[in-house]
Amino acid sequence: MVGTALKKYAESHGMRCDGGYVYGRVNGRYIAMLDGTGVKMLQVYLCPPSQAPEDIAACRIGEVLRTEDPKAYRLIRRGAVNISDGRAVVVFQDGPGAMARISRYIDEVLPRLDALGLHGDACACCGMPMEGEVRHVLADDYVMPVHVGCAAKLSAQPIARGRDQGSVLRGALGALLGAGIGAVLWAIVYMMGYVSGLVGLLIGLLSNFFYGRLGGRKGRARVVIVVAALLIGALLGQIGGVTARFNWSFEEGGGQFTWPMDGEDGFLTVRLTRSQYLKTCWDRYFCRDQTAMLSNEYDRLAAGNPDSGFDRTVTREAFIQRAWDAGYEDNFRAGAREFGANLAMGVFFGLLGCPGLFGQLRDGKRRRTVKMLK
């Protein structure tokens, strides 16, 4: 959108107006401007996207454009300057006298970029010096100068991305942190008997949020890492929740096992330690072979009660025969279905909690949206 003040400035500086922007070359630099809601935005062409500056140079550009006295030019308080792909966007507070401040900014601040070697006089498409007639194109919401012959080529190029300043390692740590927080909540919800799969939505949100919060790099790496963290968080949450239930059962029963026998007492009482009890419960959850599961349980009872004479009083075969459960196979399948269904639901909702994440997979493939300007 272009208001009256911008149109007057454009007319006085030989700029053109099209596509909701005023654009042209002022003081040797290609710029474009538009009105926003309560703000005015200035686009500054720095260099071709393929020649976007490295970290240190980008920081120096930011220091120049933010200026030592941003209030003098009415720059907004936060996020006044954004630099990416060889372009900078400077945002000003709108209001009476705003255009005069912006004009001063263009005359006083932008020339300081020349000291950094950024003269901005190269084609945004091929990177060669601008000679002869210059065309302006609106590509991905940015106005850029190109050669006449390069204007048609620009729409056929994949979107060029400048060097991302983020870190894959920091992003991975952030995603795992978010997944870990979500896993704890998953375990608590599951232990309380609620549908923990819905917590997957929160795991996805937290993983994606902390990936960006800790400065993770954008692009395909983010998709892979966030999805991996989601899977890890959901799996750990499910395992933690089931283990918490087993532990609760141990607290109620104390891991006690009673075996009837001849004698004055009429029975032999042995106990499993907490660790042995949890291992036995997980055996029942994942070991489909009931004979192997009961054999492992027998070994734990014998090892955990060496003074009781359990292994001498009760043979392995007798223990397996007495403890055999005809419905074990059905219970095993039901438990596996519940575990898998809850995990799948968590992953599904977790992916819904990552809005816009998979759009980054198309960044390197989708074509530019290009409009030729006057």
Side-chain angles (χ1 to χ4, degrees), residues 86-231:
R87 300 163 302 219
V89 177
V90 187
V91 186
F92 302 84
Q93 293 178 356
D94 204 353
M99 200 61 237
R101 304 291 181 94
I102 296 174
S103 179
R104 281 181 48 210
Y105 182 91
I106 294 171
D107 294 338
E108 298 172 2
V109 177
L110 296 192
R112 300 172 191 171
L113 294 172
D114 295 343
L116 303 180
L118 293 170
H119 299 284
D121 195 20
C123 175
C125 181
C126 68
M128 299 300 292
M130 298 296 295
E131 296 178 354
E133 185 180 354
V134 178
R135 291 296 305 269
H136 286 83
V137 295
L138 178 61
D140 310 315
D141 300 322
Y142 286 96
V143 178
M144 297 186 293
V146 295
H147 292 124
V148 174
C150 290
K153 299 178 184 179
L154 192 62
S155 60
Q157 290 184 347
I159 297 175
R161 298 289 179 188
R163 180 178 174 181
D164 198 315
Q165 311 301 327
S167 165
V168 172
L169 178 59
R170 290 199 306 270
L173 292 175
L176 290 175
L177 173 62
I181 296 173
V184 173
L185 295 174
W186 178 305
I188 293 173
V189 170
Y190 185 89
M191 184 180 64
M192 296 174 65
Y194 296 102
V195 182
S196 55
L198 296 176
V199 183
L201 180 68
L202 184 60
I203 295 179
L205 285 169
L206 291 174
S207 298
N208 195 29
F209 171 76
F210 280 107
Y211 181 96
R213 188 68 174 178
L214 268 65
R217 182 174 297 176
K218 298 179 181 178
R220 298 184 180 184
R222 180 170 192 161
V223 178
V224 174
I225 291 173
V226 170
V227 171
L230 168 61
L231 294 173

Side-chain angles (χ1 to χ4, degrees), residues 4 9 96 228 257 364:
T4 303
Y9 181 87
F257 185 90

Side-chain angles (χ1 to χ4, degrees), residues 257 259 272 280 291-305 309-320:
F257 185 90
W259 183 270
L272 289 171
T280 298
T291 300
M293 184 276 293
L294 291 174
S295 182
N296 291 337
E297 185 174 350
Y298 177 86
D299 291 338
R300 294 187 187 108
L301 286 167
N305 301 269
F310 176 77
D311 56 339
R312 296 188 299 273
T313 305
V314 183
T315 65
R316 186 185 302 272
E317 292 74 16
F319 175 79
I320 293 175

